């Protein structure tokens, strides 16, 4: 007799051991099939169901939860620092490697190299999200999560030591290679962090905690210019005497990016997979055992010499519970699941929405110097001292993030359980479309009349990026997909976003200076407005997940 306590009634819990194949669970009647703790299949199922019910109903945030959330939050602080510090590093590299260039090329990294080093992490992220996201479902969330951090630590250190190696293989190419590999590690953090946090949290606070973890990205955005100011200030007198001392500065800025990861590595290595993932893993192993046994029974039947016996045995095997439980559709594969339009449209919705967002998000945030220059805060590249120019741009970065980006993250954290994910995403895309239309079509007029008005509207756009789709495109894919595909599907959605970042950086941003310095920015903002409309429409395919358990959302 099972000693498992009675479970509160829930649609996904009241699937007793006689549950149908559509429930997503596999049950074992054979006493030879035992779990690692000695319980038979039915008792193990009830135990896992009870644990899930308790987790789903619990609203307590204990020390173990705080530790996991801190590790996941630091991951995004680290990732944002590594991704956006390149804005400042690219500016410094101009002083180091092009200080003796002539005319407008002086102290400026050529466009092709600037694009290459900024797009590198996005390429790596796309690969990491697809590959490590898939491995997160096949191997285990925490195992791959630890591996992604080790990749990021090693490649961050290697990036800091980038230098020209042989003729035609300059520092920018070496930096590009290391940052692509760094991006693979960073890319793994997206699907794995979202999956780990969503599976650990209760229904009542899942969205809030997922958004809170992602909000650490805002701290990383601010930390990069703060560290840059500190390091530049430490070398200020030497830089003013010899600009090549900036070669130390950019390497230290990049190298600091490995410190948060090293600080949390032990915790990542000791994290355990969630009960939900262990449940699915147990079911998968059971399904494999049942399939093997069914095949053995069928083989024995076909080897019988008596024709009548063969026929009878085949009929028995075909009608046996084992064969019934092994029917196609009992435990659907990834392709079988998403071959149904009702599931495929959700994956398309999360992917297209993230793609549309990141065209604008990274198009602006990877090129913040363009905006800082447009509002007249950048200073004079040729007349100012290099240390003063760098510090001034870093201060501009901090102001932009503090005014809009950081508050937007935390407004989402405190409203997501009340307003809902889909509502916030639709609102964000809608407001951003309007703001980009205003900024795009009245760009020159606004700047001519009031720089303050431009800063206000731009900061408002930054606010609604994060009090909007930048957070929700991360949260929703961590909730709407079945546990056995959650990491893979989130990785596909996130990779679509990084494809948008690559399109923005490698395509649209190359058009910035058509007709003169920053002369095409107004048209870029108009293009971004179009993509916000696309994101809005794609969001209509996505269900609202507020107030629902993961099992209810994915019908597991």
């Amino acid at each position: 007799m099972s000693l498992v306590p009675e479970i509160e009634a829930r649609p996904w819990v009241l699937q007793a051991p006689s549950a149908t194949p559509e429930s997503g669970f596999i049950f074992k009647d054979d006493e030879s099939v035992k779990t690692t703790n000695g319980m038979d299949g039915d008792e193990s199922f009830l135990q896992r169901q009870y644990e899930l019910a308790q987790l789903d109903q619990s609203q307590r945030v204990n020390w173990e939860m705080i530790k996991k959330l801190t590790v996941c939050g630091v991951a995004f602080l680290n990732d944002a620092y590594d991704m956006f510090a390149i804005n400042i590093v690219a500016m410094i590299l101009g002083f180091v490697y092009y200080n003796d260039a002539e005319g407008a090329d002086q102290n400026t990294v050529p466009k092709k190299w600037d694009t290459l080093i900024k797009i590198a992490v996005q390429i790596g992220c796309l690969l990491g999200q697809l590959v490590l996201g898939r491995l997160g479902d096949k191997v285990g969330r925490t195992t791959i999560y630890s591996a992604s951090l080790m990749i990021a630590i090693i490649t961050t250190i290697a990036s800091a030591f980038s230098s020209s190696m042989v003729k035609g293989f300059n520092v920018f190419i070496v930096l590009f290679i290391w940052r692509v590999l760094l991006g693979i590690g960073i890319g793994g953090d997206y699907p794995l962090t979202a999956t780990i946090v969503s599976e650990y949290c209760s229904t009542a606070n899942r969205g809030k905690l997922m958004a809170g973890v992602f909000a650490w990205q805002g701290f990383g955005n601010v930390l990069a210019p703060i560290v840059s100011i500190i390091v530049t200030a430490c070398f200020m007198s030497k830089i003013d005497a010899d600009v090549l001392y900036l070669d130390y500065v950019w390497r230290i800025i990049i190298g600091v990016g490995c410190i948060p990861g090293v600080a949390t590595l032990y915790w990542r290595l000791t994290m355990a997979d969630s009960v939900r993932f262990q449940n699915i893993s147990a079911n998968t192993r059971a399904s494999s055992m049942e399939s093997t046994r069914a095949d053995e029974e069928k083989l024995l039947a076909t080897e019988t010499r008596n024709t009548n016996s063969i026929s009878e045995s085949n009929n028995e095997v075909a009608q046996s519970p084992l064969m019934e439980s092994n029917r196609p559709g009992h435990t659907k594969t990834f392709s079988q699941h998403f071959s149904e339009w009702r599931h495929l449209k959700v994956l398309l919705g999360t992917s297209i929405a993230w793609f549309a967002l990141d065209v604008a998000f990274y198009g602006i945030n990877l090129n913040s110097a363009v905006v800082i220059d447009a509002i007249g805060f950048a200073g004079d590249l040729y007349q100012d001292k290099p240390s003063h120019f760098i510090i001034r741009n870093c201060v501009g970065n901090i102001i932009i993030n503090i005014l809009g980006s950081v508050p937007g993250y935390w407004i989402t954290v405190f409203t997501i359980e009340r307003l809902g994910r889909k509502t916030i995403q639709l609102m964000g895309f809608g407001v951003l479309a309007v703001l980009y239309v205003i900024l795009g079509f009245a760009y020159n007029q606004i700047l001519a009349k009031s720089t303050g008005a431009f800063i206000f509207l731009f900061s408002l756009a930054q606010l609604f990026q994060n009090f909007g789709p930048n957070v929700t495109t991360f949260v929703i894919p961590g909730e709407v997909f079945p546990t056995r595909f959650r990491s893979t599907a989130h990785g596909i959605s996130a990779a679509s976003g990084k494809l948008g970042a690559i399109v923005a950086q490698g395509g649209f941003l190359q058009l910035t200076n058509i007709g003169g310095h920053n002369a095409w920015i107004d048209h870029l903002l108009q293009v971004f407005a179009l993509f916000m409309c696309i994101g809005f429409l794609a969001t209509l395919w996505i269900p609202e997940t507020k107030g629902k358990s993961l099992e209810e959302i994915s019908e597991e």
Side-chain angles (χ1 to χ4, degrees):
M1 179 181 294
S2 173
L3 300 177
V4 178
E6 185 178 353
I7 302 172
E8 180 181 338
R10 284 179 176 270
W12 58 275
V13 172
L14 293 181
Q15 305 279 343
S18 59
T20 61
E22 287 75 17
S23 67
F25 291 99
I26 297 173
F27 312 103
K28 299 180 281 295
D29 295 323
D30 186 1
E31 291 183 358
S32 65
V33 180
K34 299 286 184 179
T35 60
T36 55
N37 63 359
M39 293 188 292
D40 63 23
D42 290 349
E43 188 171 352
S44 175
F45 162 75
L46 290 173
Q47 176 64 39
R48 288 194 297 269
Q49 290 289 67
Y50 173 71
E51 290 171 348
L52 287 176
Q54 290 294 95
L55 176 64
D56 188 56
Q57 294 168 32
S58 171
Q59 295 186 40
R60 256 181 88 214
V61 178
N62 54 31
W63 164 242
E64 191 65 24
M65 176 77 72
I66 292 171
K67 184 173 74 172
K68 288 181 173 68
L69 294 175
T70 301
V71 171
C72 294
V74 170
F76 275 106
L77 178 148
N78 206 154
D79 294 346
Y81 180 95
D82 288 335
M83 282 193 288
F84 296 112
I86 197 63
N87 290 334
I88 300 163
V89 168
M91 179 172 54
I92 295 172
L93 289 173
F95 287 104
V96 175
Y97 293 98
Y98 294 93
N99 64 88
D100 56 353
E102 297 181 356
D105 295 332
Q106 186 181 16
N107 299 331
T108 304
V109 175
K111 195 69 175 177
K112 64 177 181 178
W113 299 127
D114 181 77
T115 301
L116 195 69
I117 61 175
K118 287 181 178 178
I119 208 172
V121 164
Q122 311 310 319
I123 294 172
C125 277
L126 189 153
L127 298 174
Q129 286 159 346
L130 293 174
V131 175
L132 299 185
R134 183 58 178 155
L135 290 175
D137 284 330
K138 303 295 283 185
V139 178
R141 277 75 157 115
T142 55
T143 300
I144 304 302
Y145 198 43
S146 299
S148 70
L149 178 58
M150 288 188 279
I151 292 171
I153 291 171
I154 293 169
T155 52
T156 297
I157 295 171
S159 297
F161 288 95
S162 297
S163 61
S164 299
M165 298 179 68
V166 294
K167 186 175 181 180
F169 214 69
N170 63 23
V171 64
F172 297 99
I173 296 176
V174 175
L175 188 57
F176 168 79
I177 293 171
W178 284 120
R179 285 186 66 80
V180 168
L181 297 175
L182 168 63
I184 293 175
I186 292 174
D189 280 348
Y190 280 75
L192 294 168
T193 301
T195 301
I196 288 169
V197 176
S198 71
E199 291 176 356
Y200 272 116
C201 295
S202 68
T203 299
N205 58 20
R206 186 181 62 239
K208 177 171 62 179
L209 295 179
M210 290 181 73
V213 163
F214 193 70
W216 284 60
Q217 189 180 76
F219 297 144
N221 290 347
V222 175
L223 183 62
I226 289 174
V227 169
S228 301
I229 290 171
I230 294 171
V231 177
T232 303
C234 291
F235 284 86
M236 184 176 292
S237 59
K238 294 182 181 295
I239 293 169
D240 291 341
D242 183 356
V243 73
L244 292 182
Y245 273 96
L246 281 171
D247 197 39
Y248 294 103
V249 173
W250 75 264
R251 296 177 190 279
I252 294 172
I253 292 170
I254 288 180
V256 167
C258 74
I259 294 176
V262 171
T264 57
L265 178 59
Y266 173 75
W267 280 1
R268 274 216 208 184
L269 291 171
T270 55
M271 287 177 69
D273 283 321
S274 68
V275 174
R276 286 185 169 92
F277 182 71
Q278 292 177 37
N279 182 7
I280 291 299
S281 297
N283 288 341
T284 302
R285 288 193 298 270
S287 178
S288 177
M289 293 174 66
E290 290 178 349
S291 177
T292 300
R293 183 168 172 188
D295 290 342
E296 289 174 353
E297 288 191 18
K298 188 173 182 179
L299 180 62
L300 287 172
T302 57
E303 288 177 347
T304 305
R305 295 181 181 276
N306 188 297
T307 305
N308 293 331
S309 297
I310 292 174
S311 176
E312 293 174 2
S313 298
N314 281 339
N315 288 335
E316 289 176 3
V317 171
Q319 295 171 8
S320 70
L322 287 169
M323 290 301 291
E324 285 294 310
S325 67
N326 202 42
R327 293 178 311 180
H330 178 61
T331 302
K332 293 180 180 178
T333 64
F334 183 90
S335 58
Q336 287 172 338
H337 181 80
F338 288 104
S339 65
E340 298 179 31
W341 171 245
R342 66 193 182 103
H343 298 311
L344 178 61
K345 74 175 183 180
V346 177
L347 181 58
L348 289 174
T350 57
S351 300
I352 295 171
W354 208 334
F355 173 87
L357 166 74
D358 277 4
V359 169
F361 183 81
Y362 285 96
I364 290 173
N365 287 285
L366 280 178
N367 298 275
S368 55
V370 174
V371 178
I372 293 170
D373 182 45
I375 63 177
F377 202 86
D380 192 316
L381 181 63
Y382 311 108
Q383 300 299 322
D384 290 350
K385 291 181 178 179
S387 59
H388 292 173
F389 182 85
I390 292 165
I391 290 174
R392 186 179 174 91
N393 274 268
C394 290
V395 171
N397 264 290
I398 294 171
I399 291 171
I400 287 174
N401 280 289
I402 292 295
L403 287 177
S405 294
V406 174
Y409 284 110
W410 292 99
I411 293 173
T412 302
V413 172
F414 293 114
T415 60
I416 193 168
E417 299 295 0
R418 191 170 304 159
L419 298 178
R421 291 73 155 146
K422 186 173 181 178
T423 300
I424 291 175
Q425 186 159 307
L426 286 170
M427 175 196 66
F429 274 128
V431 173
L432 286 171
V434 172
L435 288 172
Y436 287 142
V437 165
I438 295 171
L439 287 169
F441 286 95
Y443 177 80
N444 294 310
Q445 295 91 323
I446 294 172
L447 275 178
K449 290 187 176 181
S450 174
T451 301
F454 180 86
I455 295 173
F456 172 77
L457 290 171
F458 182 80
S459 298
L460 203 60
Q462 295 289 89
L463 177 75
F464 279 98
Q465 277 185 342
N466 295 310
F467 179 36
N470 187 41
V471 175
T472 54
T473 51
F474 169 80
V475 172
I476 293 171
E479 299 178 312
V480 294
F481 302 113
T483 301
R484 62 190 182 277
F485 308 136
R486 185 169 291 125
S487 181
T488 301
H490 193 290
I492 292 171
S493 303
S496 300
K498 288 299 174 282
L499 180 61
I502 293 169
V503 168
Q505 186 65 42
F508 294 134
L509 268 297
Q510 303 305 305
L511 310 175
T512 304
N513 295 323
I514 291 179
H517 182 63
N518 291 340
W520 222 72
I521 292 180
D522 54 344
H523 298 301
L524 285 179
L525 292 168
Q526 294 164 19
V527 171
F528 293 162
L530 175 61
F531 277 95
M532 295 306 97
C533 294
I534 293 172
F536 183 94
L537 294 175
T539 302
L540 299 176
W541 281 343
I542 301 171
E544 178 56 71
T545 58
K546 180 184 72 170
K548 298 179 181 178
S549 73
L550 295 177
E551 288 69 31
E552 289 172 313
I553 297 165
S554 58
E555 301 176 1
E556 286 187 291

